[in-house]
């Protein structure tokens, strides 16, 4: 099975900060990675698919990159609506999610 | 615009079988992948499995022995059956769809399942 890790588990930041979250796979998954945002009590929403493609409706301050085993999600300038938990998800083999990164207020 | 709505018992007794249904509106279930994802209280997301509109299924290895996902095209619904539940199976269960393999782009609001002893 492919295991996913994320770092950091919690990230404290301020509005306007540039924020980067890292996701790693236990084996190469190519570009078979997506990113989701989840706010408390709500279903997740898709942000990025196929490693770097921005989902329609997602703000352009979100970007992502990577290939193989290491991936990053970047928020160029953190906005109040961005405080949430972010999950990566691989779909090379059986699908599974990373453990999540919570972005909270510094 | 596709919309998904989960329905289920809310409370299940330990060792019994959990059955959930997802009703799809705004489009046909005869396309795409149809997923179940769950989230234990305060924990992360866990993909349970999915069914392709053709009927092909794929399940998480950790749950495969207890899970069945099926489709009822006549009702535009798909369902989850999880046997021998324990307290570890409590949480919020989401149904969701993937128009493209791997990408879970439309989610239901989720339904909370409690497991009683």
């Amino acid at each position: 099975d492919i295991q996913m890790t994320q770092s950091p588990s919690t990230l404290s930041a301020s509005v306007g900060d540039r924020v980067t979250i890292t996701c790693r796979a236990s084996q190469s998954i190519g570009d078979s990675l997506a990113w989701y945002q989840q706010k408390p009590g709500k279903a997740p929403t898709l942000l990025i698919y196929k490693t770097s493609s921005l989902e329609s409706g997602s703000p352009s301050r979100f970007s992502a990159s990577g290939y193989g085993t290491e991936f990053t999600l970047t928020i160029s300038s953190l906005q109040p609506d961005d405080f949430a938990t972010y999950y990566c998800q691989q779909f090379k083999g059986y699908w599974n999610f990373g453990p999540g990164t919570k972005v909270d207020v510094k | 615009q596709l919309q998904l709505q989960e329905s289920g018992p809310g409370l299940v007794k330990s060792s019994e079988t959990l059955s959930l249904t997802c009703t799809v509106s705004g489009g046909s279930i005869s396309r795409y992948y149809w997923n179940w994802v769950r989230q234990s209280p305060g924990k992360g997301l866990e993909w349970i499995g999915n069914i392709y509109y053709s009927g092909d299924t794929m399940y998480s290895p950790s749950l495969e022995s207890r899970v069945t996902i099926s489709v009822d095209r006549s009702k535009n619904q798909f369902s989850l059956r999880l046997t021998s539940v324990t307290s570890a199976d409590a949480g919020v269960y989401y149904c969701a769809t993937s128009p493209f393999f791997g990408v879970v782009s439309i989610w239901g609001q989720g339904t909370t399942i409690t497991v009683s002893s």
Side-chain angles (χ1 to χ4, degrees):
Chain A
D1 298 355
I2 300 171
Q3 304 302 316
M4 307 301 292
T5 59
Q6 288 183 234
S7 59
S9 55
T10 304
L11 190 159
S12 297
S14 302
V15 172
D17 284 352
R18 181 180 180 88
V19 166
T20 298
I21 299 168
T22 299
C23 173
R24 291 185 174 89
S26 60
Q27 63 189 75
S28 178
I29 59 171
D31 62 355
S32 299
L33 190 94
W35 290 94
Y36 301 82
Q37 177 192 69
Q38 187 181 32
K39 296 180 180 179
K42 300 294 186 182
T45 58
L46 175 67
L47 286 173
I48 302 282
Y49 62 94
K50 210 96 186 295
T51 293
S52 59
S53 297
L54 192 67
E55 171 70 352
S56 174
S58 295
S60 59
R61 61 182 178 273
F62 290 94
S63 64
S65 64
Y67 190 84
T69 61
E70 187 156 333
F71 303 84
T72 58
L73 172 70
T74 298
I75 309 172
S76 60
S77 178
L78 193 68
Q79 298 302 300
D81 193 48
D82 301 338
F83 291 102
T85 300
Y86 294 85
Y87 295 93
C88 60
Q89 175 236 333
Q90 69 83 16
F91 51 95
K92 180 67 172 179
Y94 296 104
W95 305 5
N96 62 316
F97 293 88
T101 294
K102 183 178 181 181
V103 178
D104 64 16
V105 178
K106 189 173 183 178
Chain B
Q1 174 74 359
L2 274 175
Q3 292 187 317
L4 286 70
Q5 178 66 59
E6 305 89 350
S7 59
L11 180 67
V12 184
K13 290 184 179 179
S14 183
S15 80
E16 295 191 343
T17 295
L18 168 64
S19 294
L20 295 174
T21 296
C22 183
T23 300
V24 179
S25 59
S28 171
I29 202 167
S30 295
R31 56 192 306 187
Y32 304 156
Y33 296 85
W34 303 94
N35 302 275
W36 288 98
V37 177
R38 71 181 183 179
Q39 187 166 34
S40 299
K43 302 295 185 182
L45 301 169
E46 181 180 17
W47 176 76
I48 298 170
N50 65 28
I51 186 165
Y52 193 41
Y53 74 94
S54 63
D56 292 340
T57 54
M58 187 165 64
Y59 301 131
S60 169
S62 65
L63 295 169
E64 186 167 16
S65 64
R66 298 194 292 131
V67 170
T68 303
I69 297 176
S70 58
V71 168
D72 186 337
R73 290 182 182 81
S74 68
K75 296 181 178 179
N76 229 34
Q77 295 176 334
F78 65 106
S79 298
L80 169 71
R81 187 170 177 269
L82 181 66
T83 62
S84 305
V85 300
T86 69
S87 58
D89 295 310
V92 178
Y93 284 71
Y94 297 100
C95 62
T97 189
S98 302
F100 304 102
F101 184 82
V103 182
V104 188
S105 58
I106 302 172
W107 298 68
Q109 65 185 29
T111 187
T112 299
I113 297 299
T114 302
V115 178
S116 68
S117 55

